[in-house]
Amino acid sequence: MLAEQMVTSAAIASPYVSRPSPAPTLQGLFSNQPVERIEGGSALFWEEDQADHVFHVVEGVLRVFKILGDGRRAITGFIYAGDILGVSFKDRYLYTAEAVTDVKVHRFSRSKFEDVVNQSAALRPQLFAQLCDEMATAQDQMVLLARKSAEERVGSFLLFIARRLQRSGHDASAVDLPMTRLDIADYLGLTIETVSRLMTRLTKRGVIAARDRHRVTIRDMNMLVRLSGEASQDEAQPHGSLPVRRAVWPH
Amino acid sequence: MLAEQMVTSAAIASPYVSRPSPAPTLQGLFSNQPVERIEGGSALFWEEDQADHVFHVVEGVLRVFKILGDGRRAITGFIYAGDILGVSFKDRYLYTAEAVTDVKVHRFSRSKFEDVVNQSAALRPQLFAQLCDEMATAQDQMVLLARKSAEERVGSFLLFIARRLQRSGHDASAVDLPMTRLDIADYLGLTIETVSRLMTRLTKRGVIAARDRHRVTIRDMNMLVRLSGEASQDEAQPHGSLPVRRAVWPH
DNA sequence: CGTTAACTTGAATTTTGTCAATGCCTGTGG
DNA sequence: CCACAGGCATTGACAAAATTCAAGTTAACG
């Protein structure tokens, strides 16, 4: 496993531990590492393996998943270019990371990573923030899986990907989905058929349009937000917003 | 998480703040704080509030949840005595924490907590481990919600609580469930009726026995493990174990 | 004790999953 | 450049699981 080492534009400056002068960043730690290429479909690491490395994704998309004893798979996340992968583990990887597309990563020794971060008062809060972000994403996913309908899940997913791409400077309405329907289904806790039907339904309603199977355009962002189930009843209406009706639970 | 105080024979060093002689622990930071009592049903903090404090739970159980716009609730966890609550946030709380039973907590200023932990080479890894444990729990919950049947969810839940109680020195087969069926349902992504029916079914099959509604005894732990969906087909059989049939996914 | 909330149980309904057939890209080889 | 194979994806008919609705029952609390 673990694709081959390919030394690309080897670093110029910086002895030992990378330090892009101004303010050190977690990503900066990886900048002197060689680029490794992982072919779409192959694994970067496996659940239960010794967690010896952390990775910075330069290009491509990965899926991260756990498998139940009888083969059922749950994808717990997709990892994009710019993301750091492999920090939230103590000893062993909690899940398998597999390339969806061809991927380029920088690899860094985990123990060294921890040492360096631990030494640096500037990097420590960044690591903390990274962990908090991962946690926040996981929380949202739990809400989606526990309480949203199939339609809301698909809507939320498209919205989530759109926003993530937007963050990295892409057009938010041109969403590209390199993963298969099976990947999406295993991420949303549904079946391929259900995902497929709902994509079709959203298309028929004019909320999205399908360029091809892996590329959709969001045509009605407001509707998509409404369908995603996050908005309150009020904001969902044309110009509603009457009572502050935040539902409260009885106890 | 982290019930006991792990007295590592670690360094005696560490100047400046709070030092319960041997080795500082996260829990130790709270030991000088006054005890606050929260009545069952009332909130400790609310989603979106400024995350100004962290808490150490001394006694009782809390539920932690998020609410969708239309009132649907998803409980993302239950917090027990010994657990630390409120660390995995950057700025604002991501969820509401509400007492299930009457609860006793120690409160600590968040900014101070971060300062102290940040100063201490002994505490930093503990905080990191805490975050990793939270992450691991969240991952398991996502798998449960995405891919387990109602029966497996209830089985997993009982098992999870049993193991948690066991960790803090209780009898693993005498499980006590202070939360309501609605809480359990909102945690497992089910309805009260489904939870109720499955508890009944498990009782009829002799897997568990119900002392009263909030206290069950596990009578067949092996069966419960099997029903929880984690075990592979093989381990599940009486003396099966034929092929190493670990399902693999095609790519 | 009586009142109320929590829980259980049953029947009908809805949503999503399963099975099966068909359609549609993509990449390969003639 | 076209034909075709094979993997994905879509669609439809049917089945199963879980939810909803509607009574009842039990237990907790004043």
Side-chain angles (χ1 to χ4, degrees):
Chain A
M1 50 176 156
L2 307 177
E4 64 285 18
Q5 306 273 74
M6 296 210 75
V7 183
T8 58
S9 55
I12 323 94
S14 277
Y16 219 160
V17 182
S18 121
R19 208 176 303 85
S21 11
T25 63
L26 289 180
Q27 280 79 6
L29 292 178
F30 295 85
S31 61
N32 292 328
Q33 303 301 113
V35 169
E36 280 178 52
R37 286 155 211 274
I38 296 99
E39 204 184 334
S42 55
L44 184 55
F45 56 77
W46 297 83
E47 183 178 352
E48 298 294 315
D49 273 5
Q50 200 73 32
D52 286 336
H53 298 94
V54 293
F55 303 88
H56 178 223
V57 179
V58 176
E59 193 185 301
V61 177
L62 299 109
R63 59 184 159 247
V64 134
F65 60 85
K66 289 169 78 97
I67 302 243
L68 289 174
D70 62 357
R72 282 172 289 179
R73 181 181 70 158
I75 292 185
T76 57
F78 293 106
I79 307 294
Y80 281 78
D83 292 347
I84 287 175
L85 177 61
V87 298
S88 57
F89 304 112
K90 291 201 293 193
D91 182 43
R92 300 184 164 272
Y93 295 118
L94 296 176
Y95 44 67
T96 301
E98 213 172 67
V100 171
T101 63
D102 288 353
V103 161
K104 291 181 188 166
V105 300
H106 292 301
R107 178 194 298 264
F108 201 94
S109 147
R110 197 184 151 65
S111 58
K112 201 163 159 192
F113 180 83
E114 283 183 1
D115 282 354
V116 174
V117 173
N118 195 29
Q119 301 306 316
S120 160
L123 292 178
R124 270 181 258 138
Q126 287 182 48
L127 177 61
F128 179 72
Q130 159 86 21
L131 293 170
C132 289
D133 285 343
E134 277 185 37
M135 207 55 228
T137 305
Q139 299 275 342
D140 287 341
Q141 188 66 5
M142 285 191 275
V143 174
L144 178 148
L145 292 169
R147 283 291 171 243
K148 288 189 183 177
S149 70
E151 180 169 87
E152 290 170 328
R153 292 184 201 192
V154 173
S156 301
F157 175 69
L158 293 173
L159 218 47
F160 181 71
I161 302 291
R163 289 183 174 146
R164 162 120 54 167
L165 293 176
Q166 191 172 33
R167 250 193 321 109
S168 6
H170 295 78
D171 177 1
S173 61
V175 180
D176 121 66
L177 306 168
M179 65 292 290
T180 67
R181 294 288 187 267
L182 181 59
D183 287 334
I184 299 176
D186 284 348
Y187 180 60
L188 298 178
L190 301 170
T191 59
I192 358 179
E193 291 94 336
T194 300
V195 171
S196 185
R197 282 187 245 275
L198 288 166
M199 297 283 272
T200 305
R201 199 202 288 180
L202 291 179
T203 304
K204 283 186 177 148
R205 289 198 199 152
V207 181
I208 61 173
R211 257 195 189 302
D212 69 66
R213 282 168 170 176
H214 293 284
R215 208 150 180 63
V216 303
T217 307
I218 297 177
R219 310 193 67 178
D220 187 344
M221 184 60 88
N222 289 338
M223 181 64 88
L224 192 59
V225 170
R226 207 170 313 162
L227 291 177
S228 77
E230 294 286 346
S232 79
Q233 296 293 63
D234 308 333
E235 342 173 32
Q237 302 319 318
H239 26 240
S241 82
L242 307 168
V244 187
R245 221 196 36 65
R246 164 168 275 268
V248 171
W249 286 81
H251 289 117
Chain B
M1 327 254 132
L2 313 172
E4 329 302 302
Q5 310 274 94
M6 35 183 287
V7 184
T8 63
S9 53
I12 325 90
S14 167
Y16 222 158
V17 200
S18 158
R19 207 178 308 87
S21 357
T25 62
L26 290 180
Q27 280 79 4
L29 292 179
F30 295 85
S31 59
N32 293 328
Q33 303 302 113
V35 169
E36 279 179 53
R37 285 154 212 273
I38 297 99
E39 204 184 335
S42 55
L44 184 55
F45 56 77
W46 296 84
E47 182 177 353
E48 298 296 314
D49 273 5
Q50 200 71 34
D52 287 336
H53 298 94
V54 293
F55 302 89
H56 178 223
V57 180
V58 177
E59 192 185 302
V61 177
L62 298 108
R63 59 183 158 246
V64 135
F65 59 86
K66 288 169 78 94
I67 301 245
L68 289 174
D70 62 357
R72 281 172 289 178
R73 182 180 70 159
I75 292 184
T76 57
F78 292 106
I79 308 293
Y80 281 77
D83 292 349
I84 286 175
L85 177 61
V87 297
S88 58
F89 305 112
K90 291 201 293 193
D91 182 42
R92 299 184 165 272
Y93 295 118
L94 296 176
Y95 45 67
T96 300
E98 214 171 67
V100 170
T101 63
D102 288 352
V103 161
K104 291 181 188 166
V105 300
H106 291 302
R107 179 192 296 264
F108 201 94
S109 149
R110 197 182 152 65
S111 58
K112 198 163 162 192
F113 180 83
E114 284 183 0
D115 283 355
V116 173
V117 174
N118 196 28
Q119 301 305 319
S120 160
L123 292 178
R124 269 182 259 137
Q126 288 182 48
L127 177 62
F128 179 73
Q130 159 86 21
L131 292 171
C132 289
D133 285 344
E134 277 186 34
M135 206 58 227
T137 305
Q139 299 275 342
D140 287 341
Q141 189 66 5
M142 286 190 275
V143 173
L144 178 148
L145 293 169
R147 284 291 172 243
K148 289 189 182 175
S149 70
E151 180 169 87
E152 290 170 329
R153 293 184 200 192
V154 173
S156 301
F157 174 69
L158 292 173
L159 218 46
F160 180 72
I161 301 291
R163 288 181 174 148
R164 161 120 55 168
L165 293 176
Q166 190 173 34
R167 253 194 318 109
S168 8
H170 296 78
D171 177 1
S173 61
V175 179
D176 119 67
L177 308 168
M179 65 292 288
T180 66
R181 293 287 188 268
L182 181 59
D183 288 334
I184 298 174
D186 283 348
Y187 180 62
L188 299 179
L190 300 170
T191 59
I192 359 179
E193 293 94 333
T194 301
V195 171
S196 185
R197 281 186 245 277
L198 288 165
M199 297 284 274
T200 305
R201 200 202 286 178
L202 291 179
T203 304
K204 282 186 178 148
R205 287 198 200 152
V207 180
I208 61 174
R211 255 195 190 302
D212 68 67
R213 282 166 169 178
H214 292 283
R215 208 147 180 66
V216 304
T217 306
I218 298 178
R219 310 194 66 178
D220 186 344
M221 183 61 88
N222 289 338
M223 179 64 87
L224 191 60
V225 170
R226 208 171 313 163
L227 291 178
S228 76
E230 293 288 348
S232 80
Q233 295 295 61
D234 306 336
E235 338 174 35
Q237 301 319 318
H239 27 241
S241 80
L242 307 168
V244 186
R245 220 196 36 65
R246 163 169 275 267
V248 171
W249 287 82
H251 289 116

